[in-house]
């Protein structure tokens, strides 16, 4: 089946199988490796991407459902250098293995776009679908709070 898709500003036309997920196509056909293969059933958030500006789990979307849509991954928000949020992730040691980090950065970016000054509870809620096995979440939450309008708490 034919798939026309824009990924991080670049247009692609691909022949895909009906059962291919968007995650598979992004990683294996387009070479965009930041969305990670985790649970593959919508539970862990490691495959989170932006589709038309909203976060979705790319393991739950068939590639053909993304036809004529626009996809942005962490690679696509980092063209002009890393964002303030990503800098804060570095400063606050908000990752260890990094497997969860691209998805968490995108979920937090979406939160900050809609709520530039979130509370700790807002951040916890926004990131509830993104699992991290390494950090205990506190350094992640601290980075997102510091990226908010109020600066560090
Ligand atoms: Fe998609 Fe876990 S791999 S939610
Ligand atoms: Fe390892 Fe989050 S840093 S899973």
């Amino acid at each position: 089946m034919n798939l026309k898709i824009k990924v991080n500003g670049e247009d692609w036309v691909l022949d895909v199988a009906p059962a291919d997920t968007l995650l598979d196509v992004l990683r294996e056909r387009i070479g965009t490796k930041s969305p990670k293969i985790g649970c593959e059933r919508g539970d862990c958030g490691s495959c989170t991407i932006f589709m038309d500006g909203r976060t979705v789990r790319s393991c739950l979307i068939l590639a053909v459902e993304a036809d004529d849509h626009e996809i942005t991954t962490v690679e696509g928000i980092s063209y002009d250098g890393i964002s303030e949020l990503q800098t804060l992730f570095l400063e606050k040691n908000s990752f260890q293995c990094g497997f969860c980090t691209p998805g968490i950065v995108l979920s937090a970016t979406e939160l900050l776009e809609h709520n530039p000054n979130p509370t700790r509870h807002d951040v916890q809620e926004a990131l509830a679908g993104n699992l991290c096995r390494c950090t205990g979440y506190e350094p992640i939450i601290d980075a997102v709070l510091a990226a908010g309008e109020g600066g560090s708490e």
Side-chain angles (χ1 to χ4, degrees):
M1 302 178 79
N2 213 37
L3 169 68
K4 276 190 306 172
I5 192 170
K6 189 186 281 280
V7 179
N8 296 328
E10 194 174 341
D11 290 316
W12 291 80
V13 180
L14 299 166
D15 185 30
V16 299
D20 285 347
T21 66
L22 180 54
L23 176 59
D24 291 334
V25 168
L26 286 172
R27 287 181 58 87
E28 305 309 326
R29 303 288 303 281
I30 295 178
T32 304
K33 300 288 187 180
S34 70
K36 297 289 186 281
I37 303 170
C39 64
E40 295 187 87
R41 59 180 193 199
D43 291 336
C44 74
S46 67
C47 64
T48 301
I49 59 166
F50 281 131
M51 185 154 110
D52 301 330
R54 300 196 59 181
T55 54
V56 294
R57 296 187 178 341
S58 57
C59 70
L60 294 183
I61 297 176
L62 293 173
V64 290
E65 294 179 284
D67 191 43
D68 276 332
H69 290 276
E70 186 165 345
I71 304 301
T72 306
T73 66
V74 157
E75 291 91 338
I77 66 167
S78 307
Y79 283 142
D80 302 323
I82 61 173
S83 67
E84 182 194 357
L85 178 63
Q86 290 169 297
T87 303
L88 286 161
F89 266 61
L90 288 169
E91 288 177 7
K92 294 185 178 294
N93 298 316
S94 305
F95 53 88
Q96 290 178 28
C97 76
F99 191 82
C100 67
T101 310
I104 287 183
V105 165
L106 292 182
S107 293
T109 298
E110 181 177 55
L111 168 69
L112 292 165
E113 278 172 9
H114 297 286
N115 179 2
N117 196 15
T119 65
R120 181 169 287 272
H121 178 72
D122 294 335
V123 177
Q124 287 169 330
E125 251 188 8
L127 300 184
N130 291 88
L131 303 185
C132 175
R133 289 176 296 180
C134 305
T135 64
Y137 298 100
E138 287 306 307
I140 295 171
I141 294 168
D142 288 345
V144 181
L145 287 172
E149 279 176 356
S152 33
E153 289 180 289

